[in-house]
Amino acid sequence: MTAMADLYPDVRSMHIDFADIEKHDPDLANYTLNRPSLSIRSAEEALRRMLSHALTNPTIHFRIKGLPRDSRIEVRGLREKHLGTFVSIEGLVRKATEVRPRVIMAVFDCVRCGHKTIVEQEGMSFHEPLECSKDDGGCGRASGSTKFRLQPEESRFVDTQKIEAQEPPEGMRGGAQPERLAGYIEDDLSGRISPGDRVVLNGILKSVQKGTQVKSALFDIHLDVNSIEFEEREYEEVLITPEDELRIREFAESPDYFDRIIQSISPTIYGYEQEKEALALQLFGGVTKVMDDGTRIRGDIHIALIGDPGTAKSQMLRYMALLAPRGIYTSGKASSAAGLTAAAVKDEFGEGRWTLEAGALVLADKGLACIDELDKMNDQDRSSIHESLEQGTISVAKAGITATLQSRCAVLGAANPKYGRFDENRSVAEQIDLPPALLSRFDAIFTMTDRPDSQQDRKVAAHILKAHRRGELMLHESPEEITAVDVGEIMRDSQGLVPSMERDFLRKYVAYSKRISPVMSDEAVRTLEGYYVSIRKLGEGEEASVPITARQLEALIRLSEASSRARLSQVVMAEDANRAIKIVEYYLGKVASEGGRRDIDIIATGTSRSQREQIYVLRSLVQQLSDERRGVSAEELIQKAAAENIPEDRVRALLKRLSDAGEVYSPQPGYFKLASEERIG
Ligand code: ADP
Ligand code: MG
């Protein structure tokens, strides 16, 4: 207590564990849960009195942590009976306002007689004196016949902050929207919470009447926060018992452990073996490192699925969001102001203050963000998503708010081609509305095309039909009564649709694996280095393209580490490196090759080497053939370009690109001219 007197005002709160109150006096503990306002106010009053010898009129808080499990209520479970009681809410902070002072004791001067009136302020609305009271020695005028002037210097203020917490995603049942609760934080607790934090808020549930002009019979609820507990242990949200641990270890020893993991990813989706393998590795993730100089190297594996409509992209994203610990599914065209990243907004919520609001990538911190329709994201997200993908942070600097939020999540993105369907003769970058700089941040990019092919179609159709039929039968309590089909046969035949590992077990397995930080063995290092150097060699020589860059080497390292984690192994072996190489080879072969030649620039810059050459050729053709007035016709260009082996549709596509980039323009329809002649030597 004397310590508190010495440390005041730096320390203004006394923190106490609920268990200690309970040990000391169970009745008092119980009373505190039911009538917290009174109980806490009395405790604070007692503290103030004990300190009164050393301090005059101190602001002291009595803060209680560690409420019993019964007081832990889900936001959606809050009811009238909880009003005024002490509750404990677990939540993910979505919004937080700036910290601003609120008046708690207002001193007014009566403009007629100068007498001072003190009005204690409670809650968010401001109360003025009703009269200049004669009893206090004032002039006795009512508020109608005099005015009261607030004296800020003599009044007392307290820092306040408003936050909004939402239910954590892992507690949500199948895709339900999380419910939210506003909380008020005061004095020394304010300013400690950032959007994206996972917290337990202990406080008193309050209600306020809705409507300002016309009062409503409906009331809104909020939490007067008494204490905050921060949750740090991200993967321990998934509880792993000693029996689980035994099962997990045993599973990792089984010879087909990896096939079973892959089989457990979206088994109702046919095919996509390589893609599923990569998605499995993404769950486990690589190792995030902090180097001696403070540089952070991410371990999160980012994957993009790009492809035709109806190729099960959304389906897989949703599946992964449910499977991954801290998984979130969202669309690029998110409706909230924060979008995918974060935003500072001034709206009703902040009651005049700026509010910092977290988007999906912040809410998925230390988890997996599954972002559908990534190509539809807004411009603000486009400019700030790089930072999230590479550094795991999102910075906001707007109107007085400067903040850096954590977004250390892996990203699984999906996008559709710009023109509806993939053209396999064109590069990915050309067909996707995503900047190459962003695309190249992904560790693996898969294209999913949907071409009629009777052999493949039959298999997919059989698989989908099997799934539906199994689903139909599972709705029946006693399916054996259905005689029109051979139920036993159908159920047996579709056994492959049952995930080999139940979802809960796989989640536990993944959570457990994250405790391991594997280290690369010499042979793993040699394998990766050998691969990288040999592929780079293909790029030597003047005519050659750059086949691969250091980014892919880093992707290989992350994928290898993930593979090692999947075995629960501390050491990355050659087999892990080879698994990573297989995946990278597979996707590079599809998205970063042209005419059998590896060319990473297709992803890294959006333009392959041969395209770059074609652009030069076309530009110089435009320059040579242009006449002063009209430029040159598309027909003539196509004809001349054919002699240089550039096909017609290529010429048209490149002309469009050059026009979009402002390098050529059309003096009249169908004719082209260089925008600036000097630029070509
Ligand atoms: P996208 O997001 O790629 O446009 P969806 O995920 O919406 O596609 O998929 C459309 C539907 O087709 C889904 O119900 C999905 O299950 C089904 N489907 C597509 N491809 C397959 C496949 N290979 N195996 C099983 N079902 C598939
Ligand atoms: Mg879709």
Side-chain angles (χ1 to χ4, degrees):
M1 204 50 59
T2 35
M4 194 155 181
D6 291 341
L7 294 173
Y8 189 86
D10 292 330
V11 176
R12 300 191 288 282
S13 290
M14 178 161 188
H15 295 272
I16 226 159
D17 246 330
F18 184 82
D20 289 336
I21 307 181
E22 206 165 28
K23 230 181 292 164
H24 178 75
D25 184 347
D27 288 340
L28 177 63
N30 213 0
Y31 182 79
T32 302
L33 288 180
N34 293 319
R35 306 290 298 275
S37 291
L38 262 174
S39 181
I40 290 170
R41 208 179 306 145
S42 315
E44 287 173 354
E45 189 49 47
L47 277 174
R48 250 191 297 274
R49 242 179 261 155
M50 289 158 90
L51 292 169
S52 62
H53 63 280
L55 305 164
T56 48
N57 213 1
T59 308
I60 299 287
H61 307 282
F62 191 73
R63 304 196 185 277
I64 305 173
K65 290 199 288 205
L67 296 203
R69 276 234 69 92
D70 298 352
S71 304
R72 182 71 65 91
I73 319 273
E74 285 183 11
V75 175
R76 65 183 58 231
L78 290 170
R79 293 291 176 266
E80 169 272 327
K81 67 173 181 202
H82 297 119
L83 286 178
T85 68
F86 217 161
V87 292
S88 183
I89 304 282
E90 188 183 349
L92 180 51
V93 179
R94 187 186 178 89
K95 297 180 182 178
T97 67
E98 301 169 281
V99 177
R100 286 288 177 270
R102 174 174 82 78
V103 64
I104 49 171
M105 192 202 73
V107 177
F108 297 91
D109 277 356
C110 169
V111 293
R112 292 301 193 86
C113 71
H115 177 72
K116 285 192 196 310
T117 304
I118 298 174
V119 182
E120 301 264 352
Q121 304 283 333
E122 266 212 35
M124 281 294 143
S125 42
F126 185 57
H127 302 284
E128 297 192 33
L130 298 173
E131 58 164 10
C132 181
S133 172
K134 257 209 175 95
D135 304 344
D136 287 352
C139 59
R141 287 188 179 84
S143 56
S145 42
T146 180
K147 276 207 174 102
F148 296 101
R149 196 176 294 135
L150 178 70
Q151 298 298 321
E153 294 79 36
E154 294 171 57
S155 302
R156 284 179 62 176
F157 294 86
V158 66
D159 282 325
T160 68
Q161 188 182 27
K162 186 179 178 188
I163 59 158
E164 186 179 71
Q166 75 174 38
E167 297 170 284
E170 31 314 310
M172 309 290 306
R173 278 166 297 268
Q177 278 302 308
E179 292 205 13
R180 305 171 183 179
L181 180 70
Y184 289 92
I185 298 178
E186 293 212 326
D187 204 19
D188 51 349
L189 283 193
S190 51
R192 294 206 190 165
I193 282 189
S194 310
D197 284 349
R198 290 181 169 244
V199 290
V200 173
L201 302 170
N202 304 307
I204 306 171
L205 191 69
K206 292 278 177 72
S207 62
V208 273
Q209 197 161 18
K210 280 191 164 188
T212 39
Q213 252 85 54
V214 183
K215 293 208 165 160
S216 159
L218 286 183
F219 281 65
D220 242 346
I221 53 171
H222 68 257
L223 195 70
D224 271 351
V225 177
N226 174 264
S227 70
I228 305 171
E229 295 165 53
F230 287 88
E231 292 198 276
E232 270 303 325
R233 324 136 284 146
E234 66 273 16
Y235 279 102
E236 283 166 27
E237 283 150 20
V238 182
L239 186 75
I240 299 170
T241 63
E243 295 86 78
D244 290 334
E245 187 171 344
L246 216 63
R247 238 185 109 197
I248 288 169
R249 291 240 150 238
E250 212 170 285
F251 183 90
E253 296 295 318
S254 59
D256 57 348
Y257 74 98
F258 204 75
D259 292 332
R260 289 179 65 189
I261 294 172
I262 298 174
Q263 191 277 335
S264 304
I265 289 178
S266 264
T268 53
I269 305 294
Y270 176 82
Y272 299 125
E273 294 300 322
Q274 299 279 345
E275 286 79 358
K276 288 181 181 178
E277 185 165 350
L279 293 181
L281 293 182
Q282 182 181 39
L283 276 181
F284 295 101
V287 180
T288 298
K289 301 129 191 144
V290 179
M291 304 312 293
D292 308 85
D293 63 357
T295 314
R296 175 186 181 274
I297 307 177
R298 78 169 149 98
D300 301 311
I301 295 170
H302 303 318
I303 295 180
L305 306 179
I306 296 173
D308 293 336
T311 47
K313 300 185 297 297
S314 302
Q315 191 85 340
M316 289 216 244
L317 258 60
R318 278 203 205 90
Y319 196 90
M320 296 310 288
L322 286 179
L323 191 57
R326 290 198 173 182
I328 279 189
Y329 172 87
T330 186
S331 164
K333 23 173 204 198
S335 48
S336 84
L340 296 177
T341 52
V345 288
K346 201 164 192 171
D347 61 7
E348 226 176 282
F349 179 82
E351 295 163 11
R353 291 166 289 194
W354 283 89
T355 304
L356 189 57
E357 185 176 345
L361 290 170
V362 177
L363 296 176
D365 184 31
K366 299 192 178 173
L368 176 69
C370 301
I371 306 174
D372 213 346
E373 309 196 59
L374 188 62
D375 46 331
K376 307 270 179 356
M377 71 186 154
N378 63 37
D379 293 343
Q380 185 201 328
D381 284 342
R382 258 170 214 266
S383 60
S384 46
I385 196 171
H386 288 93
E387 187 193 343
S388 168
L389 287 174
E390 215 50 72
Q391 265 86 50
T393 56
I394 289 171
S395 307
V396 182
K398 185 179 166 189
I401 288 194
T402 53
T404 302
L405 302 176
Q406 301 288 350
S407 76
R408 295 154 292 185
C409 56
V411 172
L412 173 57
N416 287 313
K418 242 190 294 194
Y419 309 112
R421 206 166 265 286
F422 249 117
D423 181 346
E424 286 181 60
N425 299 316
R426 286 170 202 270
S427 76
V428 184
E430 259 182 293
Q431 301 183 64
I432 286 292
D433 198 8
L434 286 176
L438 179 58
L439 212 51
S440 62
R441 293 301 195 284
F442 285 89
D443 297 279
I445 301 165
F446 296 106
T447 50
M448 301 162 88
T449 45
D450 184 21
R451 291 269 163 289
D453 163 350
S454 48
Q455 224 181 352
Q456 175 77 359
D457 291 345
R458 193 166 297 126
K459 288 185 195 149
V460 175
H463 193 88
I464 293 178
L465 287 164
K466 210 191 278 184
H468 281 247
R469 204 136 77 130
R470 186 180 174 87
E472 287 163 356
L473 285 175
M474 285 199 306
L475 289 175
H476 291 267
E477 248 168 60
S478 35
E480 59 286 349
E481 285 167 14
I482 303 169
T483 51
V485 291
D486 186 344
V487 177
E489 168 74 29
I490 294 169
M491 295 308 272
R492 266 193 307 282
D493 186 39
S494 58
Q495 198 56 34
L497 297 171
V498 184
S500 173
M501 306 165 79
E502 316 101 75
R503 178 176 291 163
D504 259 4
F505 180 57
L506 181 49
R507 277 170 75 102
K508 283 181 182 174
Y509 191 89
V510 169
Y512 186 81
S513 81
K514 299 260 179 176
R515 300 180 185 171
I516 298 167
S517 293
V519 176
M520 280 186 277
S521 65
D522 289 348
E523 54 167 278
V525 168
R526 266 199 305 275
T527 307
L528 292 180
E529 188 181 284
Y531 172 75
Y532 181 71
V533 172
S534 70
I535 296 289
R536 286 286 290 189
K537 245 200 167 68
L538 302 175
E540 286 175 4
E542 271 187 27
E543 290 293 296
S545 49
V546 178
I548 189 171
T549 71
R551 284 231 171 97
Q552 281 71 49
L553 180 57
E554 291 194 319
L556 285 165
I557 296 169
R558 281 187 277 269
L559 290 165
S560 312
E561 289 165 348
S563 164
S564 157
R565 267 191 174 151
R567 293 187 291 123
L568 306 182
S569 158
Q570 304 269 13
V571 187
V572 184
M573 305 299 288
E575 61 170 289
D576 300 310
N578 286 324
R579 175 171 287 141
I581 290 170
K582 191 182 72 178
I583 290 173
V584 169
E585 273 283 289
Y586 170 77
Y587 99 79
L588 284 182
K590 279 178 93 173
V591 300
S593 314
E594 201 177 63
R597 185 163 74 164
R598 279 296 151 80
D599 188 345
I600 198 64
D601 282 344
I602 296 172
I603 303 171
T605 66
T607 312
S608 69
R609 182 183 164 98
S610 66
Q611 271 183 23
R612 254 194 330 263
E613 280 157 6
Q614 289 172 347
I615 286 179
Y616 285 127
V617 170
L618 197 67
R619 253 199 328 205
S620 59
L621 282 179
V622 174
Q623 189 192 26
Q624 286 161 24
L625 303 173
S626 278
D627 84 25
E628 213 27 64
R629 209 164 37 81
R630 294 190 309 180
V632 50
S633 72
E635 282 64 40
E636 194 178 348
L637 279 172
I638 288 164
Q639 200 197 338
K640 288 283 183 339
E644 307 272 347
N645 276 328
I646 310 177
E648 170 170 351
D649 61 340
R650 188 86 268 161
V651 174
R652 292 196 189 277
L654 292 178
L655 280 174
K656 179 163 184 315
R657 261 178 82 155
L658 286 168
S659 309
D660 287 348
E663 293 191 41
V664 305
Y665 68 102
S666 300
Q668 67 183 73
Y671 282 77
F672 296 90
K673 207 161 182 278
L674 275 199
S676 125
E677 298 278 331
E678 309 83 71
R679 278 171 54 192
I680 274 200

